[in-house]
Amino acid sequence: MRPSILLALCQIATVPVLLAVWQWASVGGYVSAAYFGAPLATGALLWSMLVDGSVIHHIGQSMIVLGAGFAGGMILGMGIGIITGISRWANDILEPIIIFFNGMPRIILQPFFVVWLGFGYAPKISLVVAVIVVMVAVSTSAALKEVDRDIKMNARILGAGTWGMVTEVYAPSLTLAMISTSRINLAFAFQATLVSEFVGTADGLGFLIIKGQQTHDVNLIWVALVVVVILSSAIDLIVTRIERYSLRWMYS
């Protein structure tokens, strides 16, 4: 058997073996099911929530917040990044503010958004926007600043005006930067989505985690975590495929 095949089989077998040991330890009383849960109980709860549609509802609510927050953060961040990347005057004014917020754990702003905006989608989406907008602005500004000076001069010599510079010089660099950082931005946006659902809501995967904590239902927490891992892996896979397809010209 080839070493690569053997390695793949060992990697695949690791998960069911660990789950089997965990289940055996829970049933045998070696670990407390009340504190650590049990795989079969978690699976049964997940199946019942799939059947009644409740887990689909919570996934949908989280995806709405994630999608709206990610889109808003990308648009606002790109706008700020374009301004600071092209205008030295704007960069001198805004750079200290961007550096301050970039160094601050913006996830702690969640209580403020709840106080300012109340409950509903507004505070949750605002938190996601706040978490990623600075990262997008920094990467956008850096991409524009790093455009080779010779390329810009050659474009000017060949007659490129303002619109030509934007479409033929700045846009390709900006697109490359956004694609290459999209996986990281989405990961942080997903984390912010979960945190935004910890307070003042009755929907979403983050709400399920907090509900499990408040009711001491460890299996419910595991259900939410399993769904989060599956969703994040699927999103990361999709974004990776899009990134490879978009940048295929770099490797051809």
Side-chain angles (χ1 to χ4, degrees):
M1 185 177 295
R2 293 182 179 179
S4 58
I5 298 177
L6 179 60
L7 176 61
L9 291 176
C10 291
Q11 291 173 339
I12 295 173
T14 299
V15 175
V17 169
L18 290 176
L19 291 177
V21 172
W22 179 11
Q23 179 65 31
W24 169 79
S26 298
V27 173
Y30 298 102
V31 296
S32 173
Y35 287 99
F36 296 97
L40 290 181
T42 299
L45 179 58
L46 176 57
W47 176 253
S48 66
M49 295 179 68
L50 285 171
V51 171
D52 63 24
S54 58
V55 72
I56 303 300
H57 168 74
H58 291 294
I59 290 174
Q61 293 298 306
S62 293
M63 291 301 100
I64 291 174
V65 176
L66 174 61
F70 181 75
M74 290 292 291
I75 294 172
L76 182 59
M78 288 177 64
I80 297 173
I82 290 172
I83 293 174
T84 57
I86 295 178
S87 172
R88 180 176 298 179
W89 180 77
N91 181 73
D92 292 339
I93 295 176
L94 296 177
E95 187 175 32
I97 301 175
I98 295 175
I99 292 175
F100 170 77
F101 280 104
N102 191 43
M104 182 183 72
R106 294 174 297 282
I107 208 78
I108 64 175
L109 296 175
Q110 194 251 356
F112 290 104
F113 289 125
V114 172
V115 172
W116 296 335
L117 303 174
F119 302 122
Y121 286 121
K124 294 186 284 188
I125 294 174
S126 298
L127 179 65
V128 179
V129 171
V131 166
I132 69 169
V133 65
V134 176
M135 297 187 297
V136 176
V138 170
S139 59
T140 301
S141 180
L144 296 179
K145 292 176 183 177
E146 291 173 0
V147 175
D148 192 277
R149 184 179 180 182
D150 292 338
I151 295 178
K152 291 187 287 187
M153 292 180 62
N154 289 336
R156 292 291 189 187
I157 293 173
L158 293 174
T162 302
W163 181 248
M165 292 293 293
V166 170
T167 57
E168 302 298 332
V169 178
Y170 292 117
S173 299
L174 182 57
T175 302
L176 181 62
M178 291 301 98
I179 293 175
S180 60
T181 59
S182 58
R183 293 176 65 189
I184 298 176
N185 293 334
L186 263 174
F188 278 99
F190 203 172
Q191 295 174 25
T193 298
L194 297 176
V195 173
S196 73
E197 296 168 337
F198 283 174
V199 178
T201 183
D203 302 294
L205 297 172
F207 164 74
L208 290 182
I209 295 174
I210 292 300
K211 182 180 178 181
Q213 174 194 351
Q214 293 173 344
T215 59
H216 301 283
D217 188 349
V218 179
N219 291 316
L220 181 59
I221 299 176
W222 279 117
V223 165
L225 291 180
V226 168
V227 174
V228 167
V229 170
I230 293 174
L231 283 176
S232 60
S233 299
I235 293 172
D236 186 72
L237 178 61
I238 293 172
V239 173
T240 301
R241 293 294 180 87
I242 295 175
E243 178 182 345
R244 289 178 180 176
Y245 179 80
S246 302
L247 303 180
R248 66 190 186 281
W249 57 272
M250 295 180 63
Y251 309 103
S252 59

